[in-house]
Amino acid sequence: MKIQIIKRRKTFYILSSLVIIAGLVMGMINGLNYGIDFTGGTLLQISLGQEVSVDDVRVITDAFDTEAEVVHAGDVNQEVMIKTQTNLTPEQRTAVFKEFQAKYNLPDDAFIKSEKFGPSVGEEIRRNAYLSIGIATLLMLLYITVRFEFRFGVAAVAALIHDVLIALSVYSIFRLQVNSSFVAAILTIVGYSINDTIVLFDRVRENRKSMKRGEYETLIDSSIGQTMTRTINTSITTLVAILCLYIFGVTAIREFALPLLVGVMVGTYSSIFIASPAWYEMMIRDKHQQRSYSGKNA
């Protein structure tokens, strides 16, 4: 079967644009669902001495904050971590614990931890996240420019920005919580996604030596065909591992695994359908500019 990625590239541009626009619109209407790491709030950790379902915990916590996040902790999930977006006073924190103490007959030392987060901490985390992603992107642009050429670097960075925007859009559309685990997963995605793109660009560079100058569509489609099996197989094995983490992991692990699942799928998609067409667009534009320049000087 002949692969025609370049011929149908506008279809992929439109598909990605629709998802990003939908995420942008939902973000403008509802805003991102930031977690306690970004908004500030209160963290309570209580040992219940048994595994209690999140719904049962919420029967108590909803009276104080209906947006509170409940996460199991401890070796056998006998502890709960309650993250409220409302800043609870010391009296309110004690009142929350008293509710659990009365319901589950807990000793006084079952109240393990109580911490308060200010919005300034969230601002710092957000600023450091943007800075980390920016630095990582610039270093990748520099690396690919040195190893290949500047146009490859720009195309790869365009694909990385696409991946981050799609991940943010998915979280915006489905109102998933954006927290520090999401930021860590995004940085992992940026590093993973560039891997498939480099493999594909390396093949493009090798095939370029044996093809006629200017046959960029054939060059890219052939290179994608030669690397697609490797790319898909690598992504599937990675997805299986992350899916196991998501299914069998505790809540904190799932929070990290979910954006990774989204990111690996999007990264695989962008390395094939976004990065290479982006490089093609730049090469065609340069080709037309050279023809225009030659025509003017003829």
Side-chain angles (χ1 to χ4, degrees):
M1 183 179 67
K2 186 178 180 181
I3 294 176
Q4 296 180 323
I5 302 297
I6 298 302
K7 185 178 180 180
R8 298 170 180 166
R9 65 189 185 282
K10 291 183 180 177
T11 302
F12 306 121
Y13 294 162
I14 292 172
L15 183 63
S16 294
S17 298
L18 288 175
V19 176
I20 292 172
I21 291 172
L24 186 62
V25 171
M26 293 299 293
M28 291 174 67
I29 295 174
N30 299 320
L32 287 173
N33 181 19
Y34 288 113
I36 186 176
D37 304 341
F38 293 97
T39 62
T42 307
L43 169 66
L44 308 175
Q45 185 169 355
I46 301 172
S47 175
L48 300 177
Q50 57 183 305
E51 185 172 356
V52 178
S53 71
V54 172
D55 290 338
D56 287 341
V57 174
R58 286 199 178 282
V59 170
I60 294 176
T61 59
D62 281 355
F64 298 88
D65 184 354
T66 55
E67 300 295 326
E69 179 186 354
V70 179
V71 180
H72 283 106
D75 294 336
V76 285
N77 292 338
Q78 294 188 352
E79 299 173 6
V80 289
M81 296 178 71
I82 303 162
K83 301 177 181 178
T84 68
Q85 295 188 10
T86 303
N87 284 323
L88 300 179
T89 63
E91 292 75 19
Q92 289 174 314
R93 298 177 216 170
T94 303
V96 173
F97 174 67
K98 291 291 184 185
E99 293 279 347
F100 283 100
Q101 192 174 32
K103 185 172 182 178
Y104 297 104
N105 193 26
L106 304 178
D108 290 340
D109 60 359
F111 199 179
I112 300 173
K113 185 165 62 176
S114 170
E115 294 180 3
K116 182 179 178 181
F117 294 87
S120 59
V121 176
E123 285 294 329
E124 185 177 354
I125 293 174
R126 198 179 314 181
R127 185 170 57 252
N128 289 339
Y130 291 145
L131 184 63
S132 301
I133 293 173
I135 291 174
T137 304
L138 284 176
L139 289 176
M140 287 179 191
L141 175 62
L142 179 63
Y143 168 74
I144 297 174
T145 300
V146 171
R147 183 175 171 185
F148 295 91
E149 62 180 50
F150 182 67
R151 293 185 191 84
F152 280 119
V154 173
V157 167
L160 290 180
I161 294 173
H162 165 274
D163 296 347
V164 173
L165 289 177
I166 292 288
L168 278 172
S169 297
V170 170
Y171 268 61
S172 174
I173 293 169
F174 294 102
R175 298 288 296 158
L176 300 173
Q177 195 171 83
V178 176
N179 51 24
S180 54
S181 296
F182 175 82
V183 174
I186 287 294
L187 286 170
T188 307
I189 290 166
V190 169
Y192 178 85
S193 178
I194 199 71
N195 187 42
D196 285 336
T197 304
I198 286 177
V199 170
L200 177 56
F201 283 169
D202 192 48
R203 184 57 58 93
V204 170
R205 183 176 60 176
E206 289 298 317
N207 290 340
R208 197 176 174 185
K209 298 174 184 175
S210 59
M211 288 192 174
K212 291 182 180 179
R213 185 179 177 83
E215 292 183 343
Y216 298 119
E217 183 171 339
T218 305
L219 168 65
I220 293 173
D221 284 343
S222 299
S223 301
I224 290 173
Q226 293 166 11
T227 58
M228 184 173 284
T229 302
R230 177 262 176 206
T231 299
I232 292 175
N233 287 343
T234 303
S235 298
I236 288 175
T237 52
T238 306
L239 283 171
V240 168
I242 300 173
L243 190 61
C244 289
L245 281 177
Y246 183 78
I247 293 173
F248 300 109
V250 296
T251 305
I253 296 296
R254 289 178 180 172
E255 288 181 353
F256 181 68
L258 182 59
L260 281 182
L261 282 172
V262 176
V264 169
M265 288 188 282
V266 174
T268 304
Y269 166 83
S270 69
S271 66
I272 297 172
F273 302 109
I274 300 297
S276 300
W279 181 78
Y280 172 82
E281 301 287 2
M282 286 185 280
M283 297 305 293
I284 290 298
R285 186 194 61 185
D286 290 350
K287 186 178 175 181
H288 289 164
Q289 286 178 345
Q290 287 174 4
R291 283 180 180 173
S292 176
Y293 180 77
S294 301
K296 289 180 181 177
N297 290 282

